[in-house]
Amino acid sequence: RSSDLLELLGNLLDNACKWCRGRVRVRLRLDAHAVSARRLVIQVDDDGPGIPAGDRERVRERGVRADERQPGHGLGLAMVSDTAAAYGGELRISASEDLGGARVEVRLPGRSLAASA
């Protein structure tokens, strides 16, 4: 559903804007090299403090925040992870090589390459 995608994007952008110092970059692309399917890749980078490697799995859980001193409910990335999984996709969290903060990437499956030919 389109409302699921909008909620997913809203949570990604809300987190990036909350934590950035001043820059957020969003990239969307189709990965035609994915095995037997196109994948929509949504990549959001920011120039904030990033998410420590030891917290990247934990922040996918409901109610968990990497920094408990900051306001929030710890639901955003959990909801992104749940939505991606419900559509057969995945959430990846890493460091942004370009901006120095967090990189959050969602990969969602699409139509098979054979079906679109």
Side-chain angles (χ1 to χ4, degrees):
R1 299 181 339 204
S2 61
S3 61
D4 291 340
L5 185 58
L6 287 174
E7 183 177 346
L8 183 145
L9 286 169
N11 281 313
L12 289 175
L13 293 173
D14 186 52
N15 274 353
C17 290
K18 176 181 176 180
W19 291 102
C20 77
R21 291 185 180 99
R23 292 187 64 203
V24 172
R25 183 180 58 225
V26 179
R27 291 182 177 168
L28 302 171
R29 65 182 162 86
L30 286 177
D31 183 355
H33 300 292
V35 178
S36 77
R38 291 185 190 169
R39 287 184 166 248
L40 171 63
V41 179
I42 303 167
Q43 181 180 303
V44 179
D45 289 68
D46 67 60
D47 65 351
I51 300 172
D55 290 333
R56 292 178 187 159
E57 288 299 317
R58 285 184 344 98
V59 296
R60 299 166 193 253
E61 300 171 21
R62 290 187 183 274
V64 174
R65 293 178 288 146
D67 186 346
E68 296 289 333
R69 296 170 295 172
Q70 296 295 324
H73 300 287
L75 298 175
L77 289 177
M79 293 171 76
V80 169
S81 183
D82 290 348
T83 302
Y87 284 93
E90 64 181 335
L91 170 67
R92 297 178 180 179
I93 301 172
S94 60
S96 173
E97 297 167 8
D98 303 341
L99 298 182
R103 170 173 288 170
V104 180
E105 185 176 277
V106 176
R107 293 176 168 263
L108 297 170
R111 295 180 299 167
S112 72
L113 295 175
S116 64

